[in-house]
Amino acid sequence: MATDDQILLARRHLASARNVTILTGAGISADSGVPTFRGTDGLWHNFRAEDLATPEAFEQDPQLVWEWYNWRRELIATKQPNPAHDTLVKLERQWTDRMWLITQNVDGLHRAAGSERLSEIHGNIWKVRCTGCGVISENREIPLPTLPMCRLCHALLRPHIVWFGESLWEKDLRRCDEALRACDLLLVIGTSGVVYPAAGFASVAKDVGALVIEINLENTPQSDLVDLSLQGRAKDVVPQLL
Ligand code: BJW
Ligand code: ZN
């Protein structure tokens, strides 16, 4: 567990930072009851990523992939933001244009908490995208038909999610790069740090001289690189930083 001294040090770093960037992963939503991917109860424990989270899987069996997303929508719809999400909203309101949040989470809980200055780099489970005309729209229906169709062009809709092997959106990559290069403090919260490009963000921030603080239940491949590792639950540690 993070010690009082470590928390105090992190608070000081945050208080004296000019530009703060935050990267979050499934660990921040785990405290709201949303399953992570790689933990013992994680999604990849029971499902194979290749069968569900790749463009090839969708091409082969769109019905199966939509069933999985319908199940996850149902689950996430019952969850609420937790004190860690809420603290990041407070931070945004204090820091305004000196803060940017990058999340790998698709659950929408940061937006539900009130965060507005954010990039959802892996997409959002409450949005759909047409495989024909490319139009992206918000859709909160539960369940969606297992083969939902576009009202405009009648092609199949897909979840607006970045799957393995797909490139992230150019505008998101540009915004993240800007935020990482501008920050003097990067907080990395609840991510295993194994999925690229986000797994490389701590290195980018270090290269421009930023201080990096990690908050996680466990060590990660980035723990040796960061300046301070705070062990504990996001919902307990993050609120102590403000
Ligand atoms: C707590 C806590 C608490 C728990 N408090 N902490 C070979 C083939 C194909 C591709 C690749 C390849 N090699 C590399 C690649 C690139 C690939 C990649 O990185 N793969 C690696 C796995 C090797 N990346 C991509 O494909 C990306 N695109 C890309 O790079 O484009 C260019 C390119 C194209 C083709 C080839 C090469 C390059 C796209 C990645 C998209 C990832 N999408 C997913 C799934 C979306 C499906 C969905 O959600 O519906 O996004 S993967 C999954 O992992 C999800 C997450 O956003 C992402 C990150 O996971 P996260 O958030 O870190 O969660 P966990 O579970 O891993 O960790 C939770 C952490 O929290 C743990 O550390 C816990 O300890 C901690 N924790 N409770 C604090 N209470
Ligand atoms: Zn369409």
Side-chain angles (χ1 to χ4, degrees):
M1 285 304 283
T3 63
D4 290 348
D5 284 352
Q6 285 177 319
I7 297 282
L8 197 62
L9 188 58
R11 283 176 69 107
R12 282 199 188 127
H13 285 311
L14 186 58
S16 61
R18 276 175 302 120
N19 282 288
V20 185
T21 297
I22 295 158
L23 170 66
T24 64
I28 194 166
S29 293
D31 284 334
S32 294
V34 179
T36 64
F37 291 91
R38 296 172 183 79
T40 40
D41 296 328
L43 292 170
W44 296 156
H45 210 68
N46 296 313
F47 304 97
R48 278 163 28 105
E50 316 71 305
D51 293 343
L52 298 162
T54 62
E56 294 78 20
F58 189 68
E59 214 164 286
Q60 213 171 343
D61 197 344
Q63 188 150 338
L64 175 76
V65 173
W66 264 120
E67 274 170 19
W68 189 59
Y69 279 97
N70 267 328
W71 170 73
R72 284 180 57 208
R73 280 172 160 237
E74 240 171 69
L75 182 85
I76 292 168
T78 64
K79 308 302 178 199
Q80 304 297 329
N82 66 59
H85 295 102
D86 295 339
T87 303
L88 299 187
V89 178
K90 284 186 198 148
L91 197 67
E92 176 180 305
R93 290 183 184 156
Q94 284 182 13
W95 260 251
T96 60
D97 59 353
R98 295 182 296 125
M99 186 258 196
W100 194 257
L101 171 60
I102 302 170
T103 187
Q104 299 170 86
N105 299 345
V106 301
D107 54 35
L109 288 183
H110 282 300
R111 278 190 199 281
S115 287
E116 290 177 356
R117 296 179 55 79
L118 82 165
S119 302
E120 292 173 313
I121 60 171
H122 291 165
N124 186 304
I125 201 162
W126 303 111
K127 290 182 182 170
V128 293
R129 186 165 86 243
C130 177
T131 56
C133 64
V135 166
I136 298 164
S137 48
E138 187 163 323
N139 183 314
R140 292 189 169 259
E141 255 174 87
I142 301 176
L144 272 167
T146 47
L147 288 178
M149 297 297 171
C150 175
R151 289 204 186 119
L152 302 173
C153 76
H154 309 292
L156 183 61
L157 295 175
R158 57 164 280 175
H160 182 51
I161 302 263
V162 180
W163 286 321
F164 281 115
E166 292 187 313
S167 293
L168 277 69
W169 296 87
E170 198 52 50
K171 72 165 179 21
D172 288 333
L173 285 172
R174 259 201 313 273
R175 189 64 191 84
C176 291
D177 198 55
E178 239 172 65
L180 292 164
R181 291 182 189 285
C183 75
D184 50 5
L185 177 63
L186 173 70
L187 294 181
V188 181
I189 307 171
T191 173
S192 57
V194 296
V195 175
Y196 285 88
F201 288 177
S203 294
V204 176
K206 287 296 301 173
D207 285 348
V208 297
L211 198 105
V212 182
I213 300 178
E214 176 183 64
I215 297 156
N216 201 304
L217 278 181
E218 301 170 351
N219 277 329
T220 72
Q222 269 83 53
S223 298
D224 289 339
L225 172 96
V226 306
D227 298 280
L228 187 56
S229 259
L230 302 177
Q231 278 206 348
R233 292 190 177 282
K235 77 167 169 45
D236 299 329
V237 178
V238 177
Q240 293 187 64
L241 300 184
L242 267 196

